[in-house]
Amino acid sequence: MVDTNITIMEEFILLGFSEFPNFQGFLFVIFLIIYLSILLGNGLIIIITNVELVLQTPMYYFLRNFSFVEICYTSVILPRMLLNLWSQKRNISLLSCAIQLCFFLILATAESFLLAVMAYDRYVAICKPLYYPLIMNHKMCIKMVVSSWVIGIPLLVGQTYHIFSVPFCGSNKLNHIFCDMPPLLKLACGDISGDEVFLYVDCVLFGLTPFLMILMSYIRILNSILKLSSKTGISKAFSTCSSHLMVVCLFYGSGLIAYLQSNFSYSGKTEKIFSVFYTIVTPMINPMIYSLRNKDFIEAMKRLFSKCVKN
């Protein structure tokens, strides 16, 4: 038997952007502005889609829930990052790290499936317009949203517990902006092949599966659009889908690249760049994509602001 010195860790050090020591204050201001923009933009969508009767449709119901997920999603990561940048104290306990990872995975999964639900909603609206009120009734919308929230909870809670039940040895420096699975597995001792398999299973179940659902919806939508003879109908169909497609490309383009990197090509800097993009930049851009490209939403926003000014 070979004795191995294993130090039982009680906390990690989140390195974040420590390689830029002279820019910590600047980064704090930038990320604070981004976080406030996310809260304001998504909060505005939630308020307007709640109070405006014109926007009381399934599409805006899903958008409202999506915006709420975006706020929760970034709130799991950004406040801690801002605290680290401000105080320069980057330590995080194992329990806090586990809680952050678990909530991040659950919310990321909810976001993925909500995007799939929104794609299905567009498919029904374009391909089966006469049956739209019957299929996308209020009860069905609630069931779809609740399912998006809870579908991954049992497996993801169990996986988080399993990851933190193995010992961590060597360095306690986590080269990432938050507690995520790939950098955590780099610090784990012993055989982690099972955890790596679970990582790829997660990518397939909670990343690739909703993506394929979105793809199938848009293949059917495209097939229906090509059958339309009216240019106005084609233009209207594309306009209702373009915003959602842009959000899907931003979210999956960066997220899947970050998670599907093999161990041989893993790079802490690359991982951080993609993570910043799909966890922080995308939730900031999404409200602008949905609001600025939507005439009904712009008109509803003008009415709300005019009421506020008059009062």
Side-chain angles (χ1 to χ4, degrees):
M1 297 291 290
V2 179
D3 292 330
T4 306
N5 292 325
I6 297 178
T7 304
I8 298 175
M9 293 183 190
E10 295 182 357
E11 63 180 19
F12 292 115
I13 297 174
L14 280 169
L15 294 180
F17 299 100
S18 56
E19 63 264 40
F20 306 109
N22 298 326
F23 293 94
Q24 299 298 293
F26 174 74
L27 289 171
F28 174 82
V29 173
I30 293 296
F31 285 119
L32 179 61
I33 292 170
I34 289 173
Y35 186 46
L36 293 175
S37 300
I38 291 168
L39 295 178
L40 180 63
N42 287 287
L44 197 60
I45 287 176
I46 292 170
I47 292 168
I48 292 175
T49 54
N50 257 313
V51 300
E52 286 291 327
L53 294 175
V54 181
L55 305 182
Q56 301 298 312
T57 63
M59 182 177 77
Y60 293 105
Y61 174 74
F62 295 134
L63 179 58
R64 180 162 64 247
N65 281 276
F66 183 76
S67 294
F68 179 68
V69 172
E70 295 265 82
I71 290 173
C72 297
Y73 183 62
T74 50
S75 295
V76 169
I77 298 166
L78 267 171
R80 183 84 201 193
M81 193 198 311
L82 290 168
L83 180 64
N84 291 347
L85 287 168
W86 177 261
S87 65
Q88 298 298 301
K89 293 179 181 179
R90 306 178 187 280
N91 54 307
I92 181 170
S93 67
L94 260 67
L95 178 60
S96 297
C97 191
I99 291 171
Q100 187 183 56
L101 174 64
C102 188
F103 275 99
F104 166 74
L105 294 175
I106 290 169
L107 291 165
T109 299
E111 184 162 1
S112 296
F113 280 97
L114 271 174
L115 285 170
V117 165
M118 292 165 81
Y120 177 74
D121 173 69
R122 293 299 84 208
Y123 156 70
V124 177
I126 293 170
C127 301
K128 299 181 179 181
L130 297 177
Y131 296 99
Y132 184 77
L134 294 173
I135 297 172
M136 302 305 293
N137 57 69
H138 187 61
K139 285 185 179 179
M140 178 57 70
C141 291
I142 292 173
K143 286 179 182 178
M144 294 171 86
V145 168
V146 172
S147 298
S148 299
W149 273 93
V150 304
I151 193 167
I153 290 177
L155 184 60
L156 295 171
V157 170
Q159 186 170 352
T160 303
Y161 174 79
H162 190 266
I163 289 172
F164 282 87
S165 64
V166 301
F168 294 94
C169 57
S171 174
N172 68 336
K173 294 179 179 178
L174 203 63
N175 189 19
H176 205 47
I177 60 173
F178 66 97
C179 291
D180 202 2
M181 280 199 290
L184 279 167
L185 293 177
K186 290 289 177 181
L187 302 181
C189 297
D191 183 16
I192 59 166
S193 56
D195 292 298
E196 289 176 337
V197 169
F198 271 119
L199 174 60
Y200 290 110
V201 168
D202 276 353
C203 289
V204 171
L205 288 179
F206 306 129
L208 194 58
T209 300
F211 178 75
L212 291 175
M213 291 164 66
I214 293 167
L215 191 62
M216 287 298 296
S217 294
Y218 277 106
I219 288 172
R220 292 178 178 180
I221 288 170
L222 183 61
N223 187 45
S224 295
I225 289 173
L226 293 175
K227 292 178 181 178
L228 294 174
S229 56
S230 168
K231 289 184 178 179
T232 305
I234 293 171
S235 176
K236 188 176 180 180
F238 271 118
S239 67
T240 58
C241 299
S242 58
S243 298
H244 182 260
L245 272 173
M246 289 173 69
V247 172
V248 168
C249 291
L250 285 170
F251 180 76
Y252 279 100
S254 53
L256 287 178
I257 290 172
Y259 263 78
L260 291 178
Q261 292 180 102
S262 68
N263 289 333
F264 299 102
S265 63
Y266 178 84
S267 167
K269 288 183 179 180
T270 306
E271 172 76 8
K272 279 189 276 190
I273 291 168
F274 282 113
S275 295
V276 166
F277 200 80
Y278 78 84
T279 60
I280 297 171
V281 177
T282 303
M284 179 186 69
I285 296 172
N286 288 348
M288 291 184 276
I289 293 173
Y290 277 114
S291 60
L292 297 178
R293 296 178 60 85
N294 190 308
K295 291 180 181 179
D296 291 336
F297 191 87
I298 291 171
E299 291 300 319
M301 200 182 329
K302 287 178 180 177
R303 286 195 296 271
L304 183 64
F305 283 143
S306 63
K307 287 177 184 177
C308 292
V309 170
K310 288 178 182 178
N311 294 334

